[in-house]
């Protein structure tokens, strides 16, 4: 299979995994939101930062190092596997015995047993890391997609059953634990790799020299993306965090879901071009333009229909989530741009520059948090938007130097897509303020209008990014 075919295949299956596999997860969360209260979602929201930090540490940057290395050996994989097993075990103990401190920090006694049970997820993730890494390196997202969808269905049945039987917040925790456990078991069942009884110091040093910077960057970025959960949970209340959590769930499904696809597929693909700068530049520009066409349509559209979306899916008790979703949609527009620019630094082996950039950007978050604590969540969200624009400029400034594709050139490339999506979102916002239909019917009407507007205008003016994506889809359909 050629690299182009691998890329298209990888994007196709990663898309299925993210928007159908995670779509199942989103439907499950919507059903749970109708059963459970904002406070119960807020309690799980307090665990989000622990979940994310633990995943980042377990990965340790070795996954990216293995994907980037073009001649990985069995010793490389086995060494990383045993190291991750050790790190995961240490984290499990730290979380289990540190649970009382976490509970006291948030002043929520219910958190202690939740954290202790959750700690098992860390070990589960650590055991499955190499299996997932090998599949990603081979751009094999088909198997990962099947496993993810199966795990989502299993965890959904368990969590909804528990919620209906009155288990409250434990049904939400069960969803996370059972999904991770199912994925880990299925990866081991359907992937043929097994570790050797060997630990190579040479492999460890080589991979760690690249991976340690990615680990630090990952930790900083994880803290940055999830610190607001901790701040809202600590300085406001569990219900307020519940509203924020619901809004962030929809934003993550669209924006971070797309970012995940880009990171998973573009990194191994671009890594194969790392020594051919002209080819790398050309493919990188195509990725930027086509990705942001989709992103702008998704995020601006979702922000515009936030009110009918919240009311139709989870009910009027969640109305405070509408403003959060609108702001988070604007912030989420920039996530795929961050991912692509930072991926390029990793492809070029500049994890040192990657690290320095992340430290600088995250220092800028400190005043956002301080002002937010004193002036409220809405002001904090506005400052988050300004912060993410500055972060994009820094990312693109440095990555653009490597392939002669600077910040202003990127803006020129994506501006037409932004204007098209903005025109659609402006009409959608008016329709949201003056609804023509009740409840779900209004949501379906606006979704249909948004899709027809983008497709219709794109076909009429032969919009370049739309035509490119359409050709890829048709090519994929023909090969089936």
């Amino acid at each position: 299979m050629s690299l182009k075919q691998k890329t298209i295949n990888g994007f196709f299956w990663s898309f299925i995994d993210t928007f159908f596999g995670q779509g199942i997860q989103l439907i499950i969360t919507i059903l749970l939101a109708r059963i459970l209260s904002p406070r119960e979602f807020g309690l799980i929201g307090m665990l989000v930062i622990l979940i994310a930090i633990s995943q980042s540490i377990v990965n340790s940057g070795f996954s990216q190092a293995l994907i980037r290395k073009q001649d990985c050996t069995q010793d490389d994989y086995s060494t990383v596997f045993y190291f991750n097993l050790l790190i995961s075990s240490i984290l499990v103990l730290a979380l289990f015995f540190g649970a009382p401190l976490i509970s006291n920090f948030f002043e929520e006694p219910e958190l202690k047993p939740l954290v202790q049970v959750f700690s098992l997820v860390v070990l589960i993730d650590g055991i499955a890391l190499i299996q997932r890494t090998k599949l990603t390196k081979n751009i094999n997202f088909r198997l990962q997609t099947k496993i993810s969808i199966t795990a989502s269905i299993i965890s959904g049945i368990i969590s909804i059953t528990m919620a209906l039987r009155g288990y409250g917040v434990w049904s939400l925790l069960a969803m996370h634990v059972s999904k991770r456990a199912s994925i880990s078991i299925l990866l081991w069942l359907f992937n043929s790799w097994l570790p050797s009884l060997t630990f190579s110091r040479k492999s460890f040093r080589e991979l760690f020299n690249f991976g340690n910077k990615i680990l630090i960057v990952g930790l900083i970025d994880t803290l940055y993306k999830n610190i607001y959960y901790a701040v809202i949970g600590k300085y406001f209340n569990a219900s307020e965090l519940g509203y924020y959590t619901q809004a962030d769930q929809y934003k993550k499904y669209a924006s971070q879901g797309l970012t995940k696809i880009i990171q998973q597929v573009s990194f191994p693909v671009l890594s194969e071009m790392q020594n051919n700068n002209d080819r790398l530049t050309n493919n990188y520009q195509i990725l930027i333009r086509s990705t942001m066409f989709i992103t702008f349509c998704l995020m601006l559209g979702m922000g515009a229909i936030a009110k009918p979306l919240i009311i139709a899916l989870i009910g009027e008790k969640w109305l405070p989530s509408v403003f959060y979703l609108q702001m988070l949609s604007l912030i989420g527009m920039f996530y795929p741009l961050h991912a692509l620019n930072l991926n390029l630094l990793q492809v070029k082996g500049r994890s040192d520059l990657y690290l320095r950039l992340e430290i600088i950007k995250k220092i800028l978050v400190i005043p956002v948090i301080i002002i937010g604590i004193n002036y409220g969540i809405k002001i904090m969200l506005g400052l988050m938007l300004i912060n993410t624009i500055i972060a994009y400029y820094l990312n693109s400034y440095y990555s653009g130097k490597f392939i002669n594709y600077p910040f202003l050139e990127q803006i020129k490339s994506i501006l037409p897509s932004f204007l098209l999506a903005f025109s659609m979102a402006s009409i959608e916002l008016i329709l949201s303020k003056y609804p023509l239909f009740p409840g779900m019917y209004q949501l379906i009407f606006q979704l249909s209008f948004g899709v027809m507007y983008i497709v219709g205008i794109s076909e009429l003016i032969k919009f370049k990014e739309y035509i490119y994506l359409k050709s890829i889809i048709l090519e994929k359909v023909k090969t089936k």
Side-chain angles (χ1 to χ4, degrees):
M1 186 182 292
S2 69
L3 183 59
K4 180 182 178 181
Q5 289 173 318
K6 279 187 176 182
T7 304
I8 293 173
N9 204 48
F11 273 116
F12 174 78
W13 284 106
S14 194
F15 175 85
I16 295 295
D17 180 18
T18 301
F19 290 103
F20 287 91
Q22 291 189 21
I24 294 171
Q25 196 76 29
L26 183 63
I27 292 170
I28 292 163
T29 304
I30 290 170
L31 293 173
L32 290 171
R34 289 181 167 272
I35 302 169
L36 305 174
S37 69
R39 172 177 166 74
E40 288 164 319
F41 275 86
L43 287 172
I44 291 298
M46 293 174 188
L47 294 179
V48 165
I49 191 166
L50 295 176
I51 295 169
I53 289 173
S54 299
Q55 284 180 314
S56 186
I57 294 174
V58 167
N59 178 49
S60 303
F62 281 109
S63 179
Q64 290 94 327
L66 287 168
I67 292 170
R68 183 178 181 274
K69 187 176 179 181
Q70 295 186 342
D71 55 347
C72 287
T73 65
Q74 175 69 3
D75 283 357
D76 292 330
Y77 289 119
S78 297
T79 298
V80 174
F81 174 78
Y82 290 120
F83 177 74
N84 272 49
L85 199 59
L86 173 64
I87 293 297
S88 301
S89 301
I90 293 171
L91 278 173
V92 168
L93 293 174
L95 284 171
F96 187 87
F97 292 107
L101 296 175
I102 297 167
S103 178
N104 290 337
F105 173 80
F106 287 107
E107 299 178 2
E108 291 286 355
E110 290 178 71
L111 276 183
K112 179 184 173 181
L114 292 172
V115 172
Q116 290 176 330
V117 172
F118 156 74
S119 66
L120 296 174
V121 171
V122 180
L123 186 60
I124 292 168
D125 282 349
I127 291 171
L129 178 74
I130 297 300
Q131 303 288 8
R132 187 186 294 277
T133 299
K134 283 186 69 66
L135 291 175
T136 301
K137 186 175 178 67
N138 295 326
I139 318 179
N140 181 359
F141 295 98
R142 183 173 184 171
L143 179 57
Q144 291 189 62
T145 298
K146 292 178 179 179
I147 288 173
S148 179
I149 290 175
T150 303
S152 294
I153 293 170
I154 292 170
S155 64
I157 293 170
I158 292 171
S159 58
I160 291 172
T161 301
M162 289 180 66
L164 290 172
R165 293 187 177 183
Y167 284 92
V169 68
W170 285 97
S171 57
L172 290 170
L173 186 64
M175 178 176 66
H176 290 284
V177 175
S178 59
K179 182 175 181 181
R180 298 285 177 71
S182 299
I183 288 174
S184 184
I185 292 168
L186 291 170
L187 280 171
W188 278 92
L189 284 175
F190 293 103
N191 201 6
S192 59
W193 181 82
L194 290 173
S196 302
L197 294 175
T198 180
F199 186 93
S200 170
R201 292 183 180 181
K202 180 183 177 182
S203 291
F204 180 82
R205 283 195 299 269
E206 180 186 354
L207 295 168
F208 188 72
N209 283 338
F210 178 84
N212 74 90
K213 299 178 186 69
I214 302 300
L215 166 61
I216 298 171
V217 168
L219 283 172
I220 293 171
D221 193 51
T222 298
L223 282 168
Y224 165 72
K225 287 179 179 176
N226 297 281
I227 191 66
Y228 301 105
Y229 280 87
V231 170
I232 296 170
K234 172 66 177 176
Y235 294 99
F236 296 93
N237 56 64
S239 293
E240 201 69 43
L241 180 55
Y243 295 129
Y244 179 89
T245 301
Q246 276 301 311
D248 198 44
Q249 176 81 13
Y250 300 117
K251 183 264 291 182
K252 283 181 176 178
Y253 177 66
S255 177
Q256 288 183 228
L258 186 59
T259 303
K260 177 186 173 185
I261 294 172
I262 295 163
Q263 286 179 318
Q264 279 186 331
V265 182
S266 68
F267 184 54
V269 170
L270 293 177
S271 290
E272 293 197 26
M273 308 173 190
Q274 59 186 282
N275 298 319
N276 186 335
N277 227 43
D278 290 338
R279 189 179 175 208
L280 178 61
T281 301
N282 182 59
N283 281 276
Y284 183 71
Q285 290 178 350
I286 292 171
L287 273 172
I288 286 276
R289 292 197 303 267
S290 55
T291 297
M292 293 316 298
F293 170 70
I294 298 170
T295 301
F296 287 141
C297 292
L298 278 175
M299 302 314 297
L300 289 174
M302 185 166 66
I305 65 168
K307 187 173 181 179
L309 181 72
I310 294 294
I311 292 174
L313 296 184
I314 53 180
E316 295 195 4
K317 69 177 180 181
W318 292 96
L319 270 177
S321 296
V322 171
F323 177 77
Y324 295 157
L325 180 55
Q326 290 171 335
M327 291 301 297
L328 289 172
S329 295
L330 294 176
I331 295 165
M333 283 194 309
F334 293 88
Y335 282 7
L337 281 170
H338 294 318
L340 281 167
N341 280 282
L342 292 176
N343 263 1
L344 186 63
L345 292 179
Q346 293 183 66
V347 167
K348 286 295 186 179
R350 292 303 305 271
S351 58
D352 57 329
L353 181 56
Y354 189 174
L355 173 58
R356 289 201 296 271
L357 269 175
E358 289 302 288
I359 292 172
I360 292 169
K361 289 184 298 182
K362 274 42 177 184
I363 288 172
L364 298 176
V365 175
I366 296 172
V368 174
I369 292 171
I370 294 172
I371 294 171
I373 291 170
N374 288 282
Y375 293 96
I377 300 174
K378 292 183 178 181
I379 298 296
M380 185 168 69
L381 285 167
L383 293 174
M384 285 167 63
L385 177 58
I386 295 172
N387 183 272
T388 199
I389 295 171
I390 295 171
Y392 165 53
Y393 170 75
L394 292 172
N395 289 338
S396 60
Y397 176 81
Y398 286 99
S399 64
K401 285 186 173 182
F402 288 101
I403 57 170
N404 194 29
Y405 189 41
F407 172 74
L408 288 179
E409 287 299 317
Q410 289 191 27
I411 294 297
K412 288 178 184 177
S413 295
I414 63 178
L415 185 59
S417 293
F418 175 80
L419 294 175
L420 175 60
F422 182 79
S423 66
M424 176 270 294
S426 298
I427 300 172
E428 289 277 28
L429 192 59
I430 295 171
L431 293 173
S432 294
K433 289 185 176 181
Y434 305 100
L436 302 174
F437 306 98
M440 183 63 72
Y441 296 106
Q442 178 68 19
L443 177 61
I444 294 170
F445 167 68
Q446 289 193 231
L447 286 171
S448 302
F449 170 81
V451 172
M452 288 189 292
Y453 181 91
I454 294 296
V455 171
I457 297 294
S458 296
E459 288 281 0
L460 183 66
I461 64 175
K462 303 300 179 186
F463 197 68
K464 184 165 58 176
E465 282 70 30
Y466 167 82
I467 298 299
Y468 173 75
L469 290 168
K470 179 182 174 182
S471 68
I472 288 178
I473 293 169
L474 290 176
E475 182 178 338
K476 184 65 185 176
V477 171
K478 288 177 183 177
T479 59
K480 287 295 178 182

